[in-house]
Amino acid sequence: MTSVADVWPDTDDVIGELPALELAGAEEIIEWTYERFERVALVASFQAESGVLIDMASRIVDELEVVTLDTGRLPEETHTIMERLGRRYPIRLRVVSPDPDELEALTAEHGTNLFRQSVDLRLRCCDVRKVRPLRRALEGYDAWITGVRRDQAHTRGGTPAVAIDREHDGIFKVAPLAGWSRADVFQYLEQHGVPQHPLYARGYTSIGCAPCTRATTPGEDERAGRWWWEQDQTKECGLHPLTVVREPV
Ligand code: SF4
């Protein structure tokens, strides 16, 4: 297994800077990331948080390297917002797809809508369509930026602003919006005139693959529309596992 020291000889220096980043604003964290690391991937799902990150980062770097996962089951509206933001901002977009052999083997055995059959099969679908492609996509980067927020789910409540990501060869995982609320995100988008994913206007509050996402009703949890048939399950796909923890300093 790759050790953090293999990836970053000056890891101790970086780790020493992490506590201060917990108190920093999102723009400051993004600025620090691009100053500190040479190869940075902004990983976007093109939900509202991606719009905030792209808008902020575009003020800091001339060209943004944006990585997105095209699972093959995304709603058409996600491609629409991808194109709109791509026209507005200086983005170099890397669209990452599942491995065709892995996908063919999975669907040959379980069908294309396997996620309805059991939680285990749903997680296998997410693994092949999301988790493995992201792991491959992040090879060669020093850090990745994600729009995950602590208040999205109890599983994300311990998300640090910056941490070593053991799931991805010890590169750094940066969550500039970790301490933001949903209201903060939409207020920023309105104030800065950033285009929004069309499905928000149709009652969606969290947007993933088309067959696994529905609109929510007032009072429902923000992520209630994700894998809604799994009401008692943890609503995660594996991209943000709990194993990503803040390093002791
Ligand atoms: Fe598969 Fe649904 Fe996960 Fe998308 S969200 S990868 S379709 S299980």
Side-chain angles (χ1 to χ4, degrees):
M1 184 179 168
T2 309
S3 78
V4 173
D6 292 337
V7 180
W8 271 97
D10 62 343
T11 293
D12 286 347
D13 292 346
V14 179
I15 287 176
E17 296 167 14
L18 301 192
L21 290 168
E22 291 300 324
L23 306 173
E27 280 147 316
E28 198 180 337
I29 295 169
I30 294 172
E31 208 169 333
W32 173 87
T33 305
Y34 283 104
E35 279 175 7
R36 204 69 171 86
F37 305 110
E38 194 177 327
R39 297 159 299 180
V40 177
L42 194 160
V43 177
S45 63
F46 288 95
Q47 297 183 76
E49 291 78 7
S50 301
V52 174
L53 294 175
I54 288 170
D55 186 79
M56 283 184 176
S58 69
R59 300 170 207 273
I60 296 167
V61 290
D62 293 337
E63 186 180 54
L64 289 176
E65 180 121 349
V66 174
V67 172
T68 195
L69 304 174
D70 185 354
T71 63
R73 302 298 297 260
L74 295 179
E76 183 56 32
E77 291 85 350
T78 299
H79 293 282
T80 303
I81 187 67
M82 214 182 283
E83 284 208 350
R84 284 190 72 191
L85 291 175
R87 281 197 296 270
R88 175 168 171 156
Y89 295 98
I91 289 173
R92 180 147 46 93
L93 187 63
R94 274 189 67 198
V95 180
V96 181
S97 300
D99 179 274
D101 293 335
E102 288 178 2
L103 192 54
E104 189 172 326
L106 185 70
T107 55
E109 187 176 357
H110 300 289
T112 55
N113 284 346
L114 67 164
F115 36 80
R116 307 269 191 231
Q117 297 173 36
S118 69
V119 174
D120 180 54
L121 285 177
R122 193 273 286 174
L123 287 169
R124 283 179 63 185
C125 185
C126 287
D127 188 51
V128 168
R129 292 184 186 271
K130 294 182 176 181
V131 178
R132 289 170 185 243
L134 180 65
R135 196 171 293 135
R136 287 191 292 269
L138 290 181
E139 285 172 10
Y141 287 103
D142 304 318
W144 64 296
I145 300 175
T146 168
V148 67
R149 303 185 344 256
R150 289 186 199 112
D151 76 351
Q152 284 171 323
H154 72 276
T155 48
R156 302 181 178 190
T159 303
V162 184
I164 291 172
D165 185 352
R166 304 280 184 193
E167 295 292 317
H168 298 105
D169 286 339
I171 69 172
F172 284 83
K173 179 175 180 177
V174 182
L177 308 182
W180 283 38
S181 67
R182 177 177 169 74
D184 293 334
V185 170
F186 282 91
Q187 186 180 27
Y188 181 97
L189 296 180
E190 293 294 337
Q191 281 177 349
H192 294 83
V194 181
Q196 297 179 22
H197 196 299
L199 289 181
Y200 288 121
R202 287 166 45 191
Y204 286 69
T205 47
S206 179
I207 302 159
C209 291
C212 300
T213 310
R214 64 158 170 76
T216 53
T217 53
E220 274 193 310
D221 181 79
E222 178 178 337
R223 287 174 62 81
R226 305 291 289 272
W227 310 290
W228 67 92
W229 60 92
E230 293 180 10
Q231 286 167 5
D232 297 327
Q233 302 297 325
T234 298
K235 302 288 190 75
E236 291 288 356
C237 58
L239 291 179
H240 303 289
L242 288 170
T243 49
V244 178
V245 294
R246 191 182 325 199
E247 292 296 308
V249 294

